[in-house]
Amino acid sequence: MHILLGSNTQWVLLSTLALGMAAGLVGCLSYWKRQSLMSDALSHAALPGIVIAFMLLGQKDIYVLIIGAAISALLGAFFIQWIRSATRISEDTAMGIVLSVFFGLGIMLLTIVNRTVGGNQSGLDTFIFGQAAAMVRKDVRMMTMLAIIVIALVTFLFKEWKIFLFDPGFAKGMGLSIRSMNVLYLGMLVVTIVIGIQAAGVILMAALLIIPPVSARYWTESFKRMMMLSALFGGAAGAIGTIVSVLGKGWPTGPFIVVVSSMIFVFSLFFGAKKGIVTEMLQQRARKRQNEPAWSVAASSTLKEGNQ
Amino acid sequence: MTSHVLQVENVAASYRKNTVLQNVSFQVKPGTLTAIVGPNGAGKSTLLKTLLDLHPKLSGHVQFFGSSYQKMKRKVGYVPQRGSVDWDFPADALDVVMMGLYGQIGWLRWPSRRHRELALEALDKMGMADYSKRQISQLSGGQQQRVFLARALVQNADLYFMDEPLAGVDAATERAIMRILNELKQSGKTVLVVHHDLQTVEDYFDHVLLLNGTVIDHGETKQAFTQENIARTYGGALQWMKGEAFYAHPARK
């Protein structure tokens, strides 16, 4: 446990907490934009950018890698948009194409980098499954700062996001620029993915964006509370996943984060206060009992009396 | 100088390859209640969306209050088709009505108590005061339509566009909505309604716009809503039985 007391770990913990919260919030926006899979496509699409940035620079500088990842993810988003509008291919197919092509390219480049001299010390492998423990102070500061900016943007523009997601046509009539909101949304999605890659990895980052909002949906019928719960679940998954992963040397963080958020999801699925399976079953049973016709109650009581 | 609240000149619009609207020109006077009627695919919804910049127009000019839509946005209210939004969205009726006030509240600001009261008042006007905290997914179709109307009311616009507000609602809701539309008209506001029920056009609306790809006729209901015009709009597939119902015959080639 001594490692948990290290000051570096505490900072890492703070950053994955902030990351989880930002991902929970942005994931909520994706959920109601019906674009959950978009986050998966974009996080996979970030990999080639990271590797190319490393190849160009020859060293692991977090700022450059993040910019590389962002460009690559945005390029992926652009391709998805382009395929959808210029061809007859549907959006989910376009996402599938971009996801696999970009990820394949990224793995190929990564293999090449690892073969070159000194390349295998690059530590780029950690970007696939994520390794929070490998983060240094500079990474942590950057990640936390960007996550806080994302959280602030969602919070301050709360009512704008709400109308943008519920009724964009009406929002436009009220003078809200739908184009700017779309750009901002995509920007926040890419930033969240990019800062999360180091901790959660390109493969599993999407889980942090998809699972918390889905879990939150089982608890509430209010958009505000859904956002807050999603941030809470995401933050908890990020922090607990990090704690577990630093216990063992070289344990990846991404899978632990996913396992924790999945546990939250399964619990929500069954016991969620609004739509949980068990909750609904109990409510249904209570309703049935209430609606039982009076005569059958009366009849059964007379029967009992008769038996005595 | 013009006294028209809406001037449409030669507007055309299309979906992909199909031209839906062509040479659409008409003017609307203030304080009128206009029904836009026409067969399915006549471009009624597209017309509203094109006027409101929600759909690109290929050509033509539109003036709102003698100015551009961009400048007059605040004075224009829009009630989209009920099916255009996801009613599973986590919000209650009051939340949705509050959205109509976002323009007044201003972006980046939080709604105040006064705004809540305005929204509640509008819900009350639509006979929905008891449902303010009800989940929108739990409302019936007619109630959802009333919530949309209430949201338009709080906008306090001068010109309203409504896309089939009377579609699939029961008689009580229809009466409630028509009462509100008449109140709007009495207070000098202008309302354009996409309408599908030809039998009620004469009772409900003082003006009618017959549309099928282009304007067949437009004017006071008494003059424009003639058997001949209806036949021209609906391609002769519909027969007008005075005082009776409509019979739609299958279109023959």
Side-chain angles (χ1 to χ4, degrees):
Chain A
M1 281 306 259
H2 64 280
I3 195 162
L4 288 181
L5 304 173
S7 77
N8 191 51
T9 308
Q10 281 174 10
W11 280 106
V12 168
L13 203 58
L14 178 74
S15 70
T16 50
L17 179 79
L19 166 74
M21 288 175 69
L25 291 172
V26 174
C28 244
L29 305 182
S30 301
Y31 179 94
W32 287 110
K33 233 176 159 306
R34 304 282 177 205
Q35 273 192 341
S36 290
L37 202 62
M38 187 74 152
S39 50
D40 202 22
L42 295 193
S43 57
H44 280 74
L47 186 61
I50 295 171
V51 186
I52 292 171
F54 176 80
M55 285 162 99
L56 290 177
L57 211 76
Q59 56 171 318
K60 201 178 148 199
D61 181 89
I62 186 70
Y63 296 109
V64 178
L65 294 189
I66 277 190
I67 291 168
I71 292 173
S72 186
L74 282 173
L75 209 62
F78 169 78
F79 275 126
I80 292 169
Q81 281 297 321
W82 180 75
I83 292 173
R84 205 191 56 167
S85 58
T87 70
R88 302 181 72 112
I89 297 169
S90 67
E91 190 169 33
D92 59 335
T93 314
M95 285 184 204
I97 294 169
V98 167
L99 185 153
S100 40
V101 169
F102 274 68
F103 188 64
L105 181 71
I107 293 289
M108 190 190 83
L109 292 173
L110 191 62
T111 317
I112 295 170
V113 168
N114 281 346
R115 290 270 167 82
T116 58
V117 185
N120 51 356
Q121 271 110 48
S122 66
L124 282 187
D125 291 339
T126 59
F127 281 99
I128 295 179
F129 286 118
Q131 195 139 47
M135 292 196 297
V136 295
R137 185 63 62 87
K138 196 172 155 194
D139 308 348
V140 165
R141 208 184 303 141
M142 172 101 169
M143 223 174 110
T144 314
M145 218 173 60
L146 286 173
I148 288 172
I149 291 175
V150 168
I151 294 169
L153 276 173
V154 176
T155 315
F156 288 120
L157 290 170
F158 176 76
K159 94 179 182 308
E160 285 74 14
W161 290 120
K162 189 167 163 181
I163 192 168
F164 167 72
L165 294 169
F166 176 66
D167 197 346
F170 186 79
K172 197 178 171 190
M174 308 230 43
L176 187 69
S177 165
I178 299 304
R179 183 184 289 261
S180 321
M181 292 301 275
N182 266 318
V183 168
L184 189 61
Y185 158 74
L186 189 66
M188 284 174 15
L189 183 62
V190 167
V191 165
T192 311
I193 286 169
V194 164
I195 59 173
I197 282 174
Q198 217 183 0
V202 289
I203 298 181
L204 296 173
M205 182 54 212
L208 208 48
L209 283 150
I210 298 171
I211 302 176
V214 180
S215 313
R217 185 71 185 107
Y218 284 93
W219 293 96
T220 176
E221 289 284 4
S222 139
F223 185 57
K224 192 196 270 178
R225 252 170 279 148
M226 181 176 165
M227 294 276 257
M228 289 181 343
L229 274 176
S230 181
L232 179 77
F233 291 162
I240 298 171
T242 306
I243 292 173
V244 178
S245 81
V246 296
L247 291 178
K249 194 169 162 49
W251 285 5
T253 321
F256 287 106
I257 291 180
V258 174
V259 168
V260 175
S261 53
S262 306
M263 283 176 356
I264 297 175
F265 170 70
V266 171
F267 184 76
S268 306
L269 175 69
F270 285 103
F271 303 104
K274 285 290 169 190
K275 292 175 179 260
I277 293 174
V278 174
T279 317
E280 280 194 340
M281 226 165 62
L282 291 176
Q283 282 168 351
Q284 189 74 20
R285 194 174 294 172
R287 230 171 286 146
K288 250 188 200 159
R289 202 167 296 154
Q290 256 175 22
N291 282 349
E292 232 163 54
W295 60 266
S296 79
V297 178
S300 65
S301 61
T302 32
L303 255 175
K304 264 183 212 150
E305 276 166 24
N307 281 344
Q308 273 169 358
Chain B
M1 217 16 234
T2 171
S3 64
H4 292 122
V5 287
L6 176 67
Q7 269 190 303
V8 182
E9 274 169 55
N10 278 322
V11 164
S14 69
Y15 277 106
R16 295 240 164 177
K17 279 185 203 156
N18 306 326
T19 305
V20 187
L21 294 171
Q22 226 163 6
N23 290 324
V24 174
S25 302
F26 62 94
Q27 287 105 31
V28 179
K29 287 192 207 109
T32 53
L33 195 51
T34 306
I36 300 174
V37 297
N40 290 339
K44 300 177 299 265
S45 298
T46 310
L47 175 63
L48 293 201
K49 285 184 187 150
T50 310
L51 297 181
L52 298 172
D53 275 356
L54 295 171
H55 186 82
K57 60 172 171 283
L58 296 176
S59 63
H61 278 286
V62 185
Q63 283 206 314
F64 291 82
F65 307 98
S67 182
S68 72
Y69 173 62
Q70 290 305 322
K71 285 186 190 145
M72 292 294 150
K73 251 179 190 175
R74 281 287 189 80
K75 297 174 89 173
V76 181
Y78 174 45
V79 181
Q81 269 183 27
R82 190 156 47 81
S84 67
V85 301
D86 180 3
W87 290 95
D88 200 32
F89 192 83
D92 57 33
L94 188 64
D95 284 335
V96 175
V97 179
M98 291 285 277
M99 288 179 189
L101 289 164
Y102 284 5
Q104 287 173 45
I105 296 167
W107 304 116
L108 289 168
R109 287 157 183 267
W110 295 91
S112 68
R113 179 187 290 265
R114 190 177 60 86
H115 294 120
R116 273 179 62 91
E117 277 161 11
L118 281 172
L120 278 170
E121 217 172 88
L123 272 174
D124 191 32
K125 238 185 180 170
M126 290 310 308
M128 290 285 293
D130 295 341
Y131 295 89
S132 68
K133 283 283 145 202
R134 180 72 69 90
Q135 275 312 303
I136 53 170
S137 58
Q138 314 263 315
L139 297 172
S140 71
Q143 290 168 337
Q144 291 174 345
Q145 194 65 62
R146 291 193 208 195
V147 170
F148 259 14
L149 254 295
R151 182 178 72 170
L153 286 183
V154 294
Q155 268 185 288
N156 202 14
D158 290 322
L159 171 61
Y160 283 104
F161 293 92
M162 305 187 180
D163 203 344
E164 304 234 18
L166 300 176
V169 302
D170 61 16
T173 304
E174 184 159 326
R175 271 198 302 277
I177 291 174
M178 283 320 298
R179 202 187 61 234
I180 294 298
L181 293 193
N182 279 311
E183 270 176 32
L184 287 172
K185 183 186 144 188
Q186 300 302 324
S187 55
K189 310 205 169 201
T190 315
V191 189
L192 278 90
V193 180
V194 172
H195 192 55
H196 65 287
D197 184 5
L198 293 179
Q199 292 180 69
T200 51
V201 169
E202 286 176 312
D203 300 334
Y204 288 169
F205 301 95
D206 53 22
H207 282 68
V208 67
L209 178 91
L210 296 126
L211 188 79
N212 192 352
T214 187
V215 178
I216 306 291
D217 201 358
H218 173 231
E220 285 187 30
T221 312
K222 272 174 279 172
Q223 272 120 50
F225 199 64
T226 59
Q227 192 175 343
E228 195 202 332
N229 275 339
I230 295 166
R232 277 168 65 208
T233 310
Y234 288 81
L238 207 63
Q239 274 184 1
W240 173 244
M241 311 287 284
K242 263 281 186 256
E244 295 276 328
F246 285 95
Y247 293 96
H249 294 298
R252 273 181 295 249
K253 278 196 176 171

